[in-house]
Amino acid sequence: MKYQSQKIAYAYFGVALALFAVQILGGLLAGVVYVMPNTLSELVPFNIIRMLHTNSLIVWLLLGFFGAAYFLIPEESEREIHSPKIAYLQLIILVVGTLGVVVTYLFNLFEGNWLLGKEGREFLEQPKWVKMGIVVAALLFLYNVTMTVLKGKKTAITNILLLGLWALALLFLFAFYNPSNLALDKMYWWYVIHLWVEGVWELIMASILAYLMLKLTGVDREIVEKWLYVIVAAALFSGILGTGHHYYWIGAPGYWQWIGSIFSTLEIVPFFAMMSFAFVMVWKGRRDHPNKAALLWSLGCSVLAFFGAGVWGFLHTLHGVNYYSHGTQITAAHGHLAFYGAYVCLNLAMITYAMPILKQRDPYNQVLNMASFWLMSGGMVFMTFTLTFAGTVQTHMQRVIGDYYMDVQDSIAIFYWMRLGAGVVVFLGVALFLYSVFMPRREMVRPGPIERHRLEDDPDHIPAE
Amino acid sequence: MSEAASELSVLDELPGDLMMWVLIISELLVFGAGLTAFLAVRVTDPVGFAEAQNLLNRTAAGINTIVLVTSGFLAALALPLREAGQNARARLALIAASLLGVLFLVIKGAEFADKAAHGINWESHAFFTFYYLLTGFHAAHVVFGVLILWLVAWRDAPRNIEVGAAFWHMVDLVWVLLFPVIYLLQ
Ligand code: HEM
Ligand code: HEM
Ligand SMILES: [Fe+2]
């Protein structure tokens, strides 16, 4: 760790990972309710569990991004964070807000209250006071990191990261506008949700990946930056008008069917470019960084994002297809693999890279971490497959033949059992990840003869910074 | 390195030409996909498409084609002039190209206004949905292209002129593809 204030990231990553655990438990519970519908139906209804699952996802991803920014900005700008105090204040506000959310959801306090009650729009259910807290926290954050970057060295990575983070915060303001007209409500809702994950979060993703590639592979900064600009241009070009793929059936004008289909199809390009980028960098890079697990997560991120967002997104993005598949389990399959591949893996890659440095020790027991990658990713991929099958059958029975919704649900129960099984595997992977990141203090897995030989004798081997 | 210098270097390194090529390829993909979709939907209703097409003003569009191609030619002259050191003439060529762009917009605007006066809009027929999407989207690019031509006439480094002209040629090319498919193809 070159800069003391990078330590801030440790607190952010810690809270993020705690919420990650909550998210996975929430997902498991929701998966149980799917196959045993009466589970906890009086105490914690399904909609509340689902809300906890998706909200904790969003919040921990955001905390992870903030942590990543606090970790990488000092190194890139070559100076300490402007004010560590503000950074911790920001974290406290976010934690209080999160606790407030959990309590409000679980006990459904203040139902209908303008300021205190939950708001009931997916992903944006937080009561108004929490939303305001989020805005204050975001302002503190932006002030803090922008001051740091302004005073320090400016690199393409920090520029793009800041652009992404600023846009993220500005777009969140649409969460405050909730017109009573349902079509308009949805229209603005997507300004936040879609323009986040298929627009500005991609900038954050690209810049964090670029940083990791720079560190892990040791390629020239110039090359990384060229890729970065191309990826960002492709993401914004396709992603902004790509919003149209959510406007097919909500009462918006019909031309969105063509705008949405064409532009969102192009959204595959930035994801493909990010995958190519990661692999080309590894191929070209000369540095033999000891943190192999971070590299595995980075590459896994780019691949699974390409499949989850790119391929599974394209699967249902043409309006002729979406007419049938809209809102079925196909959507859920895509939502899971896209979020997991792009943003969960991204954060776990950054955390895997940063944690040993933050704890000032060597990256011990990579094998455990890498095993957690395969468990978690294998589980998520299998879950995606089961949901895709479920969705295909559902689409056919419900949308083509016209069977009743609940009858269809009964006949695809087997897939929901398999989803639950996949969920358990993911859960084990998460547990292993947490253990491997927080626990080991020394090497428990001795390197084999080939690896030992390489470490000692290979002239190309460059130790970590 | 001083702060000012490092700031400059980030801007300097921004690969303007590379970005322009990303943009141009993306645009061609979008218009290509739009035209393909148009042709695909046309197969389902050839008679309706032909009837709708007959309501278009082919003469105005033909004139516009000449206007835009001439404009592209002028823009192409600018770079060699600039490289030969004839900076004023290069600027003149760019401004003339941009004025033809404006003329294109005026004619196009009159065409749109005429359609509106006859109560035709993008909902009248699938043909018109595509007509408005494709030519409207293209017109927006003409507006943008005119602004770029002004920008590179002002900041007239050869590299800028090259990038600006490349964009303008793309706008040109797209029209040359749209015109026969939308206005003429029977
Ligand atoms: C890191 C891993 C995970 C991510 C990123 C994730 C993400 C999401 C997202 C984005 C949604 C909303 C989907 C939509 O609106 O279409 C969702 C819903 C859901 N998730 Fe997860 N999830 C994860 C893990 C799990 C696990 C392990 C399970 C356990 C089986 C699970 C079960 C569910 C269920 C049952 C729903 C509700 C689906 C519905 O309403 O039909 N998730 N998750
Ligand atoms: C990392 C990027 C992405 C993430 C995290 C993501 C996540 C999601 C989620 C959670 C939903 C469900 C929203 C809801 O509750 O209704 C959704 C819907 C959708 N996504 Fe994505 N997505 C991403 C990228 C893409 C891309 C690149 C495409 C197209 C190529 C795409 C196409 C769609 C479509 C068409 C829907 C609507 C599904 C429906 O009609 O039910 N997504 N996405
Ligand atoms: Fe989207």
Side-chain angles (χ1 to χ4, degrees):
Chain A
M1 198 167 49
K2 292 203 195 103
Y3 298 90
Q4 278 314 307
S5 51
Q6 284 182 292
K7 198 85 195 166
I8 300 166
Y10 192 66
Y12 275 83
F13 290 154
V15 181
L17 288 175
L19 273 176
F20 181 29
V22 172
Q23 183 226 330
I24 294 301
L25 290 174
L28 273 183
L29 201 53
V32 171
V33 176
Y34 246 91
V35 291
M36 294 183 276
N38 285 329
T39 315
L40 296 179
S41 60
E42 302 278 323
L43 266 176
V44 201
F46 177 77
N47 65 320
I48 305 290
I49 301 174
R50 191 186 193 286
M51 215 146 77
L52 282 176
H53 178 56
T54 54
N55 268 254
S56 46
L57 169 71
I58 301 291
V59 176
W60 90 257
L61 293 179
L62 290 175
L63 286 169
F65 293 156
F66 292 145
Y70 283 127
F71 182 82
L72 72 78
I73 285 180
E75 262 186 42
E76 286 285 300
S77 326
E78 297 178 357
R79 61 182 308 119
E80 298 286 351
I81 290 291
H82 178 65
S83 158
K85 276 213 190 73
I86 292 185
Y88 287 112
L89 176 65
Q90 179 208 347
L91 181 59
I92 292 172
I93 294 178
L94 288 171
V95 169
V96 170
T98 306
L99 294 178
V101 162
V102 172
V103 172
T104 310
Y105 292 177
L106 281 183
F107 304 104
N108 196 12
L109 303 170
F110 319 111
E111 169 82 34
N113 185 299
W114 176 81
L115 184 67
L116 303 174
K118 66 175 154 56
E119 297 214 304
R121 285 161 117 190
E122 192 191 358
F123 296 118
L124 302 180
E125 293 97 341
Q126 312 83 359
K128 272 230 177 42
W129 70 269
V130 175
K131 287 203 178 81
M132 293 169 187
I134 294 176
V135 169
V136 172
L139 285 176
L140 291 177
F141 170 77
L142 289 171
Y143 167 76
N144 211 359
V145 293
T146 309
M147 288 304 283
T148 313
V149 171
L150 281 183
K151 284 193 292 186
K153 198 172 147 217
K154 292 156 200 70
T155 67
I157 292 180
T158 53
N159 288 350
I160 305 275
L161 183 64
L162 278 191
L163 181 66
L165 291 164
W166 269 97
L168 183 159
L170 289 178
L171 287 171
F172 183 70
L173 295 180
F174 285 110
F176 286 92
Y177 185 54
N178 188 357
S180 55
N181 177 323
L182 197 59
L184 287 180
D185 162 4
K186 277 291 172 194
M187 197 176 105
Y188 286 103
W189 183 78
W190 286 112
Y191 278 17
V192 188
I193 303 305
H194 170 99
L195 289 180
W196 264 11
V197 300
E198 290 160 70
V200 299
W201 286 28
E202 279 181 64
L203 308 196
I204 299 172
M205 175 177 171
S207 56
I208 293 180
L209 265 185
Y211 172 82
L212 286 170
M213 286 300 138
L214 205 60
K215 293 290 163 181
L216 293 172
T217 70
V219 285
D220 288 347
R221 187 177 278 275
E222 257 179 44
I223 303 179
V224 171
E225 291 182 347
K226 278 228 165 69
W227 277 92
L228 191 53
Y229 283 123
V230 171
I231 291 167
V232 166
L236 292 179
F237 181 86
S238 59
I240 295 175
L241 284 173
T243 321
H245 66 183
H246 302 295
Y247 292 171
Y248 299 158
W249 330 114
I250 66 169
Y255 50 74
W256 282 113
Q257 297 182 353
W258 293 105
I259 299 180
S261 294
I262 292 176
F263 279 91
S264 68
T265 298
L266 284 180
E267 285 182 37
I268 306 171
V269 175
F271 286 103
F272 185 76
M274 277 193 261
M275 182 170 69
S276 317
F277 164 64
F279 280 87
V280 171
M281 291 306 104
V282 171
W283 175 52
K284 281 198 171 170
R286 304 269 299 151
R287 180 176 297 161
D288 184 16
H289 197 282
N291 199 333
K292 294 281 182 294
L295 191 61
L296 178 63
W297 278 107
S298 309
L299 291 177
C301 166
S302 72
V303 173
L304 292 172
F306 170 69
F307 279 98
V311 178
W312 255 258
F314 176 69
L315 213 62
H316 58 166
T317 206
L318 299 176
H319 67 265
V321 177
N322 193 267
Y323 179 74
Y324 293 100
S325 70
H326 180 57
T328 60
Q329 294 298 329
I330 292 185
T331 307
H334 156 68
H336 273 92
L337 198 61
F339 258 116
Y340 175 76
Y343 302 120
V344 171
C345 288
L346 180 73
N347 269 309
L348 298 185
M350 189 66 194
I351 290 173
T352 300
Y353 174 75
M355 273 302 192
I357 301 174
L358 288 168
K359 298 176 94 175
Q360 285 165 329
R361 48 168 91 142
D362 286 336
Y364 293 134
N365 297 309
Q366 304 265 316
V367 181
L368 294 181
N369 190 313
M370 293 203 240
S372 83
F373 168 85
W374 290 111
L375 270 179
M376 233 187 279
S377 305
M380 290 309 289
V381 168
F382 188 72
M383 184 185 298
T384 306
F385 286 148
T386 59
L387 290 178
T388 308
F389 278 120
T392 311
V393 176
Q394 181 190 7
T395 302
H396 183 74
M397 294 178 72
Q398 196 180 313
R399 300 279 162 80
V400 181
I401 298 179
D403 289 344
Y404 288 112
Y405 177 83
M406 282 319 285
D407 291 344
V408 176
Q409 292 299 313
D410 278 341
S411 51
I412 53 181
I414 174 77
F415 294 112
Y416 295 139
W417 279 103
M418 291 199 282
R419 185 251 306 267
L420 184 56
V424 173
V425 176
V426 174
F427 171 76
L428 293 177
V430 175
L432 186 57
F433 181 86
L434 294 177
Y435 176 82
S436 79
V437 161
F438 284 109
M439 292 307 184
R441 290 166 188 286
R442 62 189 172 76
E443 198 64 71
M444 293 189 284
V445 188
R446 277 168 43 79
I450 298 177
E451 179 69 2
R452 253 199 331 269
H453 172 75
R454 198 182 58 86
L455 289 177
E456 284 160 12
D457 304 334
D458 186 351
D460 269 354
H461 170 75
I462 305 165
E465 300 175 77
Chain B
M1 204 195 295
S2 80
E3 275 181 24
S6 71
E7 202 172 333
L8 236 177
S9 72
V10 170
L11 280 184
D12 265 358
E13 280 161 17
L14 210 126
D17 29 9
L18 177 64
M19 302 302 268
M20 187 53 88
W21 282 111
V22 173
L23 182 67
I24 287 175
I25 292 172
S26 311
E27 300 278 9
L28 291 179
L29 284 173
V30 166
F31 281 107
L35 278 177
T36 311
F38 170 87
L39 291 173
V41 176
R42 184 170 169 273
V43 173
T44 64
D45 179 18
V47 180
F49 267 61
E51 275 170 10
Q53 194 196 52
N54 285 333
L55 298 172
L56 296 184
N57 187 340
R58 295 199 176 93
T59 321
I63 295 175
N64 250 349
T65 309
I66 298 171
V67 168
L68 214 51
V69 172
T70 315
S71 167
F73 175 69
L74 287 171
L77 287 182
L79 185 62
L81 284 173
R82 176 66 178 76
E83 278 173 343
Q86 299 183 313
N87 294 13
R89 286 188 178 200
R91 285 202 159 119
L92 203 64
L94 290 170
I95 298 293
S98 76
L99 290 180
L100 286 178
V102 174
L103 176 62
F104 175 93
L105 287 172
V106 172
I107 297 175
K108 191 78 210 146
E111 211 188 313
F112 280 151
D114 179 58
K115 294 283 151 322
H118 285 85
I120 297 174
N121 63 25
W122 52 269
E123 274 181 321
S124 306
H125 186 270
F127 175 86
F128 283 107
T129 308
F130 283 106
Y131 167 76
Y132 279 107
L133 272 179
L134 291 168
T135 65
F137 199 53
H138 175 263
H141 283 78
V142 176
V143 174
F144 190 61
V146 166
L147 295 178
I148 287 188
L149 288 177
W150 287 344
L151 190 70
V152 300
W154 174 44
R155 295 277 172 136
D156 66 343
R159 187 181 143 205
N160 291 352
I161 293 185
E162 194 178 347
V163 170
F167 183 81
W168 194 241
H169 291 321
M170 184 273 291
V171 174
D172 212 345
L173 171 67
V174 167
W175 178 257
V176 171
L177 293 175
L178 291 186
F179 173 60
V181 176
I182 292 183
Y183 287 83
L184 303 182
L185 189 76
Q186 281 287 352

